[in-house]
mmCIF file of all heavy atoms in Angstrom:
data_model
loop_
_atom_site.group_PDB
_atom_site.id
_atom_site.type_symbol
_atom_site.label_atom_id
_atom_site.label_comp_id
_atom_site.label_asym_id
_atom_site.label_seq_id
_atom_site.Cartn_x
_atom_site.Cartn_y
_atom_site.Cartn_z
ATOM 1 N N GLU A 48 -9.109 9.214 3.321
ATOM 2 C CA GLU A 48 -9.003 9.188 4.781
ATOM 3 C C GLU A 48 -8.826 7.736 5.196
ATOM 4 O O GLU A 48 -9.775 6.958 5.247
ATOM 5 C CB GLU A 48 -10.262 9.774 5.431
ATOM 6 C CG GLU A 48 -10.427 11.255 5.209
ATOM 7 C CD GLU A 48 -9.367 12.072 5.930
ATOM 8 O OE1 GLU A 48 -8.929 11.675 7.030
ATOM 9 O OE2 GLU A 48 -8.964 13.106 5.367
ATOM 10 N N VAL A 61 -2.250 -10.364 8.863
ATOM 11 C CA VAL A 61 -3.385 -10.004 8.020
ATOM 12 C C VAL A 61 -4.266 -9.038 8.801
ATOM 13 O O VAL A 61 -4.694 -9.322 9.902
ATOM 14 C CB VAL A 61 -4.211 -11.239 7.614
ATOM 15 C CG1 VAL A 61 -5.437 -10.839 6.810
ATOM 16 C CG2 VAL A 61 -3.358 -12.213 6.832
ATOM 17 N N ALA A 148 0.286 8.390 -11.028
ATOM 18 C CA ALA A 148 -0.908 7.544 -11.142
ATOM 19 C C ALA A 148 -1.851 7.794 -9.962
ATOM 20 O O ALA A 148 -3.079 7.802 -10.119
ATOM 21 C CB ALA A 148 -0.510 6.075 -11.219
ATOM 22 N N GLU A 151 -3.890 10.920 -10.576
ATOM 23 C CA GLU A 151 -4.996 10.630 -11.494
ATOM 24 C C GLU A 151 -6.114 9.889 -10.759
ATOM 25 O O GLU A 151 -7.295 10.172 -10.962
ATOM 26 C CB GLU A 151 -4.496 9.792 -12.668
ATOM 27 C CG GLU A 151 -3.566 10.534 -13.597
ATOM 28 C CD GLU A 151 -2.959 9.640 -14.669
ATOM 29 O OE1 GLU A 151 -3.367 8.466 -14.798
ATOM 30 O OE2 GLU A 151 -2.060 10.120 -15.391
#
Side-chain angles (χ1 to χ4, degrees):
E48 292 292 326
V61 176
E151 292 174 8

